[in-house]
């Protein structure tokens, strides 16, 4: 239990505010060495922020040596000197852990369908011959399979030698940025991942938000920034869902070639498109070797796998491999067996059908509010009139034990208000029930903005 963080949403950078607050409590002795801190999920629910916001704060404090992760959860580093006698906080200032009934924040996949024959067999095979691990860049066979997967699903002619196996998308991004250079200028989409911006800043990079319109990142604005790295989600912009147009893609690639920039394509859920065909990856039309593609199995399979990959630009391959940390050999072997048995292909086809049902369900539940769902992925967006309505909706859902994501957190400065709702985590009947509850809360919190997509979409 800790005193609540006095967050100022108007000041932005919520992870840094949480970091400062917890650091101050530890320095003042109000949290002593060895004391437990709330789970990221529980603290996020209490503060009404995304779990990623709290994760970013905890990662920063762990890097500074203030927090440590143990089998019993996250605690104040027990090796810190106890400089003050901790005082018991007044009962009124204690953060009470709210019982969370459901998590409707975006990005959580449904893992129930994984418990099939191919998945279990893949892990049995991996366990029968325990791996001794693979050096960087990873299992040769897995890299071959991923290259084939990219060719079939994303129209990318990838060489296995250019694929680096990682422990996830963030691990791949850190490795890539380290190869580009220290203290890079990184252009990111605005709106975009709030926790990712914090991670980039915490690693010493200068993050510059660049506006997004109906065709993707605005290249004219990008030209004024002159970044070394451009981080984008071209096939399914997050969180608003637009796909970057073909002319805009070519302008971006021309800009990167002319200015020596690296374009990092975050392909976070492009295989989960269920309206129309998936768009080709940006790497598929790159002819100058300026594009790096980040891939992860966290959305398509399960975040617990902790496995991803990077399609590396040839010019950065040696530097990236020199900086990378090997991923789990056992996990690599299990995924290799799963892909060889066509398990991943069949799983993706099944989940596209299931998530399309969730999309149609969202459209049905919010039909009168005219809220438009996405054409792919694991979330949908509902717009609200203002920050007050948004805050009331987030708090109202929290009182019911439902965690949701505030849309305003995705902008570097608050521009639009609403909710970003995950639609993938639960079964059909449970999803209908939860979305119905959110609709009731919203109708009491404020009128839904009839502009179901941002201007220009």
């Amino acid at each position: 239990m800790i005193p609540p963080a006095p967050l100022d949403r108007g000041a932005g950078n919520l992870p840094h505010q949480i970091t400062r607050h917890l650091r101050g409590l530890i320095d003042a002795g109000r949290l002593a060495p060895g004391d437990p801190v709330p789970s990221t999920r529980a603290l996020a629910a209490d503060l009404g922020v995304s779990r990623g916001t709290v994760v970013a704060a905890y990662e920063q404090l762990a890097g500074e040596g203030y927090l440590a992760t143990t089998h019993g959860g996250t605690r104040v580093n027990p090796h810190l000197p106890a400089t003050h006698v901790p005082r018991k906080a007044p009962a009124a200032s204690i953060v009470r852990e709210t019982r969370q009934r459901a998590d409707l924040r975006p990005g959580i996949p449904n893992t129930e369908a994984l418990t099939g024959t191919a998945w279990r067999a893949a892990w049995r095979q991996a366990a029968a011959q325990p791996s001794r691990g693979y050096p960087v860049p990873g299992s040769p066979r897995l890299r071959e399979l991923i290259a084939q997967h990219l060719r079939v699903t994303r129209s990318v002619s990838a060489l296995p030698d250019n694929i680096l196996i990682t422990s996830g998308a963030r691990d791949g991004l850190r490795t890539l940025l380290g190869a580009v250079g220290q203290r890079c200028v990184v252009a990111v989409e605005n709106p975009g991942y709030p926790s990712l911006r914090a991670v980039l800043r915490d690693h010493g990079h200068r993050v510059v938000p660049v506006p997004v319109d109906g065709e993707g990142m605005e290249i004219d604005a990008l030209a004024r920034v002159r970044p070394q790295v451009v981080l984008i989600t071209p096939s399914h912009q997050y969180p608003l869902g637009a796909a970057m147009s073909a002319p805009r893609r070519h302008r971006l690639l021309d800009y990167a070639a002319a200015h020596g920039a690296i374009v990092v394509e975050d392909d976070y859920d492009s295989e989960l498109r269920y309206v129309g065909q998936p768009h080709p990856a940006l790497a598929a039309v790159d002819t100058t070797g300026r594009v790096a593609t980040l891939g992860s199995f966290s959305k398509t399979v399960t975040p617990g796998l902790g496995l991803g990959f990077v399609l590396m630009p040839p010019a950065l391959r040696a530097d990236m491999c020199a900086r990378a940390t090997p991923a789990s050999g056992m996990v690599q072997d299990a995924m290799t067996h799963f892909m060889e048995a066509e398990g991943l292909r069949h799983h993706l086809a099944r989940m596209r059908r299931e998530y399309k049902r969730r999309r149609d369900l969202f459209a049905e539940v919010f039909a009168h509010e005219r809220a438009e769902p996405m054409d792919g992925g694991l979330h949908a967006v509902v717009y609200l009139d203002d920050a007050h309505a948004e805050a009331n909706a987030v708090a109202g859902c929290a009182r019911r034990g439902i965690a949701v994501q505030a849309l305003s957190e995705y902008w570097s400065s608050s521009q639009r208000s609403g909710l970003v709702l995950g639609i993938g985590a639960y079964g059909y009947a449970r999803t209908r029930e939860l979305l119905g509850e959110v609709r009731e809360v919203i109708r009491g919190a404020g009128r839904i903005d009839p502009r179901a997509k941002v201007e220009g979409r």
Side-chain angles (χ1 to χ4, degrees):
M1 298 291 189
I2 62 173
L7 299 183
D8 181 358
R9 296 179 182 274
N13 212 328
L14 298 178
H16 283 188
Q17 293 185 48
I18 297 171
T19 300
R20 287 195 303 269
H21 179 66
L22 291 176
R23 191 190 295 119
L25 292 174
I26 296 170
D27 287 340
R30 299 185 68 182
L31 286 174
D35 279 354
V37 296
S39 68
T40 55
R41 194 180 302 277
L43 186 56
D46 287 333
L47 298 178
V49 300
S50 72
R51 186 186 177 200
T53 297
V54 180
V55 168
Y58 278 20
E59 286 179 347
Q60 175 65 20
L61 289 167
E64 295 175 5
Y66 278 89
L67 297 182
T69 301
T70 67
H71 291 298
T74 303
R75 296 177 177 273
V76 178
N77 189 339
H79 301 295
L80 281 176
T83 54
H84 296 274
V85 176
R87 299 189 303 270
K88 191 173 182 178
S93 67
I94 296 293
V95 173
R96 296 182 179 176
E97 294 202 20
T98 303
R99 186 176 69 88
Q100 185 174 294
R101 296 168 44 236
D103 194 341
L104 286 186
R105 285 170 294 189
I108 304 174
N110 189 317
T111 59
E112 294 175 0
L114 269 180
T115 58
T117 302
W119 180 252
R120 294 196 302 269
W123 284 95
R124 281 198 301 268
Q125 288 177 269
Q129 295 181 317
S131 172
R132 295 181 179 178
Y134 296 97
V136 172
S139 162
R141 179 56 178 155
L142 180 57
R143 287 185 286 134
E144 289 178 4
L145 291 168
I146 290 175
Q148 294 173 16
H149 179 73
L150 288 173
R151 177 177 55 80
V152 172
T153 64
R154 311 295 292 120
S155 304
V156 177
S157 298
L159 295 174
D161 286 348
N162 288 336
I163 292 175
L164 171 68
I165 305 300
T166 69
S167 297
R170 288 191 180 185
D171 179 43
L173 180 60
R174 292 187 187 103
T175 302
L176 188 145
L177 290 175
V180 173
Q182 299 297 315
R183 301 188 181 280
C184 299
V185 177
V186 183
V188 299
E189 295 169 326
N190 189 29
Y193 286 104
S195 60
L196 184 59
R197 291 195 297 263
V199 169
L200 293 172
R201 291 192 185 99
D202 289 343
H203 283 77
H205 304 292
R206 181 186 168 211
V207 179
V208 182
V210 176
V212 173
D213 63 18
E215 295 186 64
M217 182 177 279
E218 296 181 2
I219 308 303
D220 291 338
L222 183 66
R224 294 190 291 270
V225 175
R226 300 185 67 84
Q228 291 128 301
V229 177
V230 182
L231 180 58
I232 58 170
T233 52
S235 297
H236 186 211
Q237 199 278 328
Y238 192 83
L240 300 177
M244 181 176 277
S245 67
R248 190 68 61 87
R249 290 177 180 229
H250 286 291
R251 285 190 63 196
L252 176 60
L253 293 174
D254 290 345
Y255 172 85
H259 295 86
I262 294 294
V263 178
V264 181
E265 173 183 26
D266 185 354
D267 212 37
Y268 71 101
D269 68 355
S270 299
E271 293 136 318
L272 295 178
R273 186 175 179 85
Y274 33 72
V275 177
Q277 294 299 312
H279 297 283
L282 191 62
V285 295
D286 174 35
T287 60
T288 61
R290 309 308 303 175
V291 174
T293 300
L294 294 178
S296 170
F297 297 104
S298 64
K299 303 291 190 299
T300 54
V301 182
T302 171
L305 196 62
L307 191 68
F309 61 88
V310 183
L311 177 57
M312 301 177 285
L316 294 179
R317 182 172 58 197
D319 284 342
M320 289 185 65
C321 288
R323 295 171 178 273
T325 302
S328 165
M330 183 77 76
V331 173
Q332 290 188 60
D333 284 347
M335 180 53 66
T336 297
H337 297 314
F338 190 54
M339 294 180 74
E340 285 180 330
E342 298 288 311
L344 179 62
R345 183 173 67 84
H346 292 308
H347 178 71
L348 287 174
R350 180 166 56 248
M351 298 319 295
R352 276 193 292 267
R353 293 192 297 269
E354 286 299 315
Y355 293 146
K356 184 180 186 301
R357 292 184 69 212
R358 305 296 188 279
R359 175 192 188 272
D360 295 343
L361 173 60
F362 177 88
E364 175 189 337
V365 172
F366 290 97
H368 296 294
E369 287 78 15
R370 296 181 293 166
E372 292 186 23
M374 301 292 139
D375 293 339
L378 303 174
H379 73 278
V381 176
V382 177
Y383 288 86
L384 296 171
D385 281 345
D386 51 40
H388 180 70
E390 179 189 85
N392 284 344
V394 171
C397 288
R399 284 193 293 271
R400 293 185 179 220
I402 303 174
V404 297
Q405 181 83 55
L407 177 61
S408 61
E409 294 183 18
Y410 289 85
W411 268 272
S412 60
S413 59
S414 182
Q415 295 184 25
R416 295 298 301 276
S417 301
L419 299 179
V420 184
L421 301 175
I423 60 172
Y426 301 100
Y428 188 86
R430 178 65 168 155
T431 302
R432 175 185 289 278
E433 174 190 335
L434 293 170
L435 291 179
E437 288 195 54
V438 173
R439 179 187 59 194
E440 292 176 5
V441 171
I442 287 176
R443 287 177 175 176
R447 183 178 61 85
I448 291 185
D449 191 330
R451 297 167 296 174
K453 290 190 177 182
V454 73
E455 290 87 343
R457 297 191 187 285

